[in-house]
Structures are given as C-alpha cells and as structure tokens.
Amino acid sequence: MGQTLTEIAQTLKDANKKVQLIYAFNGTGKTRLSREFKRLIAPKNTETEELEDAKAKILYYNAFTEDLFYWDNDLNADTNRKLKIQPNSFTDWVLRDQGQENNIITHFQHYTSDKLMPKFNERFNEITFSIAAGNENTIDNPQIRN
C-alpha cells in the first residue's frame, strides 16, 4: 500500500537535500503535498522565532504563490501600468537583503529582450517597464501581455 501525504512529506523533510523537484500532472496532489510539507516545516502554532527560522529553510511554489504578483494595468487612464509585488518574506529577502534586482533584470532580459527594461521602485513592491526605441528615446509603461 502507498504512503500517506504526511509520510511522503516527512520523507522529503528527512532527506537532507538542498533541492527537491516534484512535478506531475494536474490534479495528482502536488499542492496538497506542498501544504503538508509546509505544515511539517512551519506549523502554525510555533513560536515566532521558530517560524522565522522555518521561513529561511523553505521556498515552495504552487498555484497560491502566483498571487504574489499581479498586473495593475491602470484601466482608467491606461498609462501607468506596473507589475505589483504583494508583500512577502521571499521577495523581501531576495530584493532587500540580497540586492538581487540587477540579476533579476539580467535574467528577465535574457528571456525577453535587452531593450525591455524593468525598473523596481524603492520599496520593491512594484516594477515598471520601458522599451528602448532607438535614437536614445524610450517608450515608458508599455502594455505587456502574458
């Protein structure tokens, strides 16, 4: 007989590996497993200090993480478009503590275009974009579609 989600999560926790990649078809239980794993690593009833230690140990991605970023397309004036970053400990760590915004921009441009320039605001809670249009001109706040 197979293992329960709790048993699988415990096996992952005990594996002592830096990275574990889990992928599967939709509906097979990846999100349920990640929730169970998070419950083992950072139970809700722990002391604040223990919870902070747990946050430093794990980054997981599932459908709920997509809510960390969203587009504000300025539907009224259609000019002040930006990518909003919901407050969270991971992006705070990457951007504020590690100062990785330039590396993020480099990777972004690698997969898009070096003419498309993201710019983080000073609080690292939104990103605006511009496009180099030639002759040292830029197009600010272009509409970006996913």
Side-chain angles (χ1 to χ4, degrees):
M1 180 140 183
Q3 294 180 310
T4 66
L5 281 176
T6 303
E7 291 168 335
I8 296 169
Q10 188 65 50
T11 300
L12 292 172
K13 181 179 180 233
D14 296 340
N16 195 28
K17 294 189 179 198
K18 284 188 173 186
V19 176
Q20 297 180 33
L21 174 64
I22 299 171
Y23 60 96
F25 292 110
N26 291 340
T28 57
K30 299 179 301 294
T31 298
R32 286 178 288 155
L33 176 59
S34 69
R35 285 184 193 156
E36 188 63 28
F37 185 70
K38 181 180 178 188
R39 189 188 66 74
L40 287 174
I41 298 293
K44 288 185 178 182
N45 60 355
T46 62
E47 297 295 321
T48 303
E49 185 176 307
E50 292 175 4
L51 185 58
E52 289 302 315
D53 289 342
K55 285 182 180 178
K57 293 180 184 177
I58 180 172
L59 166 67
Y60 75 99
Y61 175 87
N62 63 38
F64 300 110
T65 311
E66 292 174 347
D67 293 336
L68 294 177
F69 308 96
Y70 67 94
W71 284 104
D72 178 355
N73 283 318
D74 185 21
L75 297 177
N76 294 328
D78 198 29
T79 57
N80 192 18
R81 303 173 190 101
K82 60 188 132 283
L83 181 64
K84 302 287 278 186
I85 302 172
Q86 296 281 22
N88 66 85
S89 59
F90 177 69
T91 56
D92 284 349
W93 176 71
V94 168
L95 297 167
R96 294 174 199 244
D97 300 344
Q98 299 294 314
Q100 293 294 314
E101 65 272 13
N102 288 331
N103 285 336
I104 292 169
I105 291 169
T106 299
H107 280 60
F108 175 81
Q109 290 177 325
H110 173 76
Y111 289 103
T112 58
S113 167
D114 61 353
K115 295 182 183 334
L116 182 57
M117 175 58 79
K119 181 180 179 194
F120 292 87
N121 70 347
E122 65 280 350
R123 293 187 332 224
F124 296 110
N125 65 352
E126 52 185 55
I127 305 167
T128 56
F129 296 86
S130 63
I131 298 175
N135 298 333
E136 298 183 21
N137 294 326
T138 61
I139 300 168
D140 292 325
N141 296 313
Q143 185 174 20
I144 299 175
R145 296 181 183 173
N146 53 2

